[in-house]
Amino acid sequence: MLNKYARAFFTRVFTPLAAFLLRKGVSPDAVTLVGTAGVVAGALVFFPRGSFFWGTIVITAFVFSDLVDGNMARQAGRSGPWGAFLDSSLDRVADSAIFGGIAMWYAGKGDNLLLCAVTVFCLASGQVVSYTKARAESLGLKCDVNGVVERAERLVGTLVAAGLAGLHEFGVPGIQWLLPIALWLVAVGSLITVFQRVLTVRREAAELAELTAAESAATGEAQ
Ligand SMILES: CCCCCCCC/C=C\CCCCCCCC(=O)OC[C@H](COP(=O)(O)O[C@@H]1[C@H](O)[C@H](OP(=O)(O)O)[C@@H](O)[C@H](O)[C@H]1O)OC(=O)CCCCCCC/C=C\CCCCCCCC
Ligand SMILES: Nc1ccn([C@@H]2O[C@H](COP(=O)(O)O)[C@@H](O)[C@H]2O)c(=O)n1
Ligand SMILES: [Mg+2]
Ligand SMILES: [Mg+2]
């Protein structure tokens, strides 16, 4: 949903920056790589020690590169399979670092194995959500449903909650519970999304099989 409604807004916001970077000779791939490295560093340096405010600030500064790289590629007329492959593959790396960093906190000083498990579930189910669509598309199916929790929802929900929960370090009371609440919501939403996508692909595969059978029958009758 965020992807649908916020993308046009962010395209307008980032178009001047994307044009500037292109003029300076920066490539979309460089932005993809540097952005991912920044997200991974922010997540793995700050989150495992429970520094959620600063971790979120660093991650947020880099995560928007994921909207700038595609914008640059489109402006330069250089969108293609390589860029799409690189972008999507590195999205998985960035997501792993974000949820991995949070899981490390709960496995260590955060001392909460249940929340560690919920975070690992967010990581795994998020990857499955993305994989279902990628695999369906590679098989010639559309997977024509986005689902309730896409990547944008996973990231915005988790990062907003982590950033606010991090204010606990500065003495704001009670706010640390926002992160567990967001993680539970992302976990349940991702599970629902997996089912939405799997059921859609199952229907599309059945429709394709029916169409293929009907075409074979028609070809057989004609001969
Ligand atoms: C007191 C202060 C506290 C600190 C607060 C810090 C607040 C900052 C918090 C959060 C900001 C987070 C912003 C996160 C933005 C994420 C943007 C992003 O990367 O989106 C990527 C997404 C998808 O892009 P792609 O097409 O490249 O990726 C595809 C996708 O991954 C598919 O995955 P799937 O959905 O299938 O799981 C893959 O299948 C595919 O392979 C892959 O290519 O882009 C978008 O969705 C575009 C829309 C982005 C919308 C961002 C909205 C940000 C809005 C608000 C944040 C402001 C929050 C303010 C909080 C204030 C708190 C006080
Ligand atoms: N290095 C890159 C990154 C992205 N692309 C193209 O942009 C599409 C993704 O757009 P976003 O707005 O979501 O970043 C991707 O599918 C590629 O077509 C690219 O070419 N090179
Ligand atoms: Mg991108
Ligand atoms: Mg991306």
Side-chain angles (χ1 to χ4, degrees):
M1 205 150 82
L2 273 177
N3 197 12
K4 192 170 160 194
Y5 294 108
R7 188 173 274 281
F9 169 77
F10 281 107
T11 298
R12 274 200 305 279
V13 169
F14 287 123
T15 292
L17 173 64
F20 171 79
L21 291 172
L22 283 172
R23 281 199 302 278
K24 293 286 166 199
V26 178
S27 74
D29 289 0
V31 171
T32 308
L33 288 165
V34 170
T36 306
V39 170
V40 169
L44 295 183
V45 167
F46 292 97
F47 283 178
R49 62 174 75 157
S51 185
F52 287 109
F53 179 82
W54 291 115
T56 304
I57 294 294
V58 173
I59 292 168
T60 303
F62 284 96
V63 82
F64 284 107
S65 66
D66 195 11
L67 296 166
V68 176
D69 55 3
N71 191 321
M72 289 171 71
R74 285 185 286 278
Q75 283 194 50
R78 280 166 55 184
S79 303
W82 162 249
F85 171 82
L86 184 71
D87 185 306
S88 291
S89 301
L90 292 187
D91 284 351
R92 309 288 84 80
V93 174
D95 293 0
S96 301
I98 291 171
F99 288 104
I102 299 173
M104 283 161 78
W105 159 251
Y106 285 123
K109 276 204 177 139
D111 195 21
N112 191 324
L113 274 186
L114 176 62
L115 286 177
C116 176
V118 172
T119 312
V120 171
F121 185 85
C122 289
L123 196 171
S125 55
Q127 306 284 25
V128 176
V129 163
S130 301
Y131 180 78
T132 49
K133 185 161 253 177
R135 183 65 176 134
E137 286 172 352
S138 79
L139 293 167
L141 300 168
K142 281 170 72 181
C143 187
D144 200 11
V145 64
N146 292 322
V148 286
V149 175
E150 294 181 85
R151 181 166 187 255
E153 284 81 11
R154 292 199 296 274
L155 289 186
V156 172
T158 306
L159 290 175
V160 169
L164 290 172
L167 293 176
H168 185 64
E169 302 167 53
F170 304 104
V172 179
I175 205 159
Q176 69 275 24
W177 293 107
L178 281 178
L179 182 57
I181 291 168
L183 290 170
W184 276 104
L185 289 175
V186 169
V188 172
S190 299
L191 184 62
I192 293 171
T193 308
V194 168
F195 277 104
Q196 288 178 299
R197 291 192 178 187
V198 168
L199 292 175
T200 301
V201 173
R202 186 166 177 261
R203 178 179 47 76
E204 290 174 352
E207 284 168 4
L208 183 67
E210 252 175 51
L211 192 71
T212 312
E215 276 172 3
S216 303
T219 314
E221 273 170 24
Q223 283 171 354

